[in-house]
Amino acid sequence: MDERDRVLEVNRRFYAAFLGRELPGMEAVWAWAHPVACIHPGWHPMTDREEILRSWREIFTTRRTLEIRIEREQVLQLTADTALVICQEEVSIGLTAACNGFVLEDGVWRLALHHATPLARIRPGDVARPHSGPPVLH
């Protein structure tokens, strides 16, 4: 198994913990020694590990259904001790884009960043065009 495969395996364990509502599994994938950040769609940015895990606990206990399917998963960047994975998430709120950042801690890849944001649905035949005009803040 090469390093890209190892990173993708941790990414998949993150989503397995999400889908399975497994807080111990979620705790296991997040970094301990490095700074962490998590931005759920519609939530404020969190940079405290305990706050991030509380957010997952809340999601696991308050959401009736947690269905998620990952598409277009790819390692965008890989260095000796950091990796960046992007993917699309099919979740109850619709389609989201996710960026997951990983760091190497004691030889183990761990999640340091999860940022998910809703995507607009594009109809078949539509062409996505870059935004022109004044910047849009969101």
Side-chain angles (χ1 to χ4, degrees):
M1 180 179 293
D2 70 10
E3 287 306 300
R4 287 181 182 274
D5 292 333
R6 289 180 63 207
V7 169
L8 290 174
E9 176 59 31
V10 177
N11 195 63
R12 291 174 189 140
R13 285 197 332 254
F14 164 68
Y15 286 108
F18 184 168
L19 182 60
R21 299 175 188 246
E22 299 171 4
L23 194 57
M26 187 61 72
E27 290 173 346
V29 298
W30 280 91
W32 288 91
H34 288 81
V36 292
C38 182
I39 305 173
H40 301 297
W43 292 44
H44 70 278
M46 295 171 279
T47 58
D48 176 79
R49 188 178 193 279
E50 290 308 313
E51 181 184 19
I52 291 167
L53 293 174
R54 275 193 307 273
S55 76
W56 286 108
R57 188 177 302 112
E58 181 180 332
I59 289 167
F60 294 165
T61 58
T62 61
R63 304 297 191 268
R64 280 182 262 178
T65 60
L66 288 178
E67 294 187 27
I68 187 163
R69 189 173 56 133
I70 305 307
E71 301 173 340
R72 299 182 182 190
E73 177 187 49
Q74 64 176 306
V75 177
L76 188 62
Q77 182 177 1
L78 177 65
T79 68
D81 58 359
T82 61
L84 188 60
V85 173
I86 58 171
C87 60
Q88 290 183 359
E89 305 169 338
E90 183 83 37
V91 293
S92 58
I93 65 168
L95 191 61
T96 62
C99 179
N100 297 321
F102 297 88
V103 293
L104 199 57
E105 288 186 345
D106 297 325
V108 177
W109 287 104
R110 300 212 183 269
L111 187 63
L113 167 71
H114 171 67
H115 181 195
T117 188
L119 288 176
R121 294 266 183 197
I122 298 176
R123 295 180 305 249
D126 284 354
V127 176
R129 292 185 176 81
H131 175 73
S132 61
V136 176
L137 302 176
H138 48 277

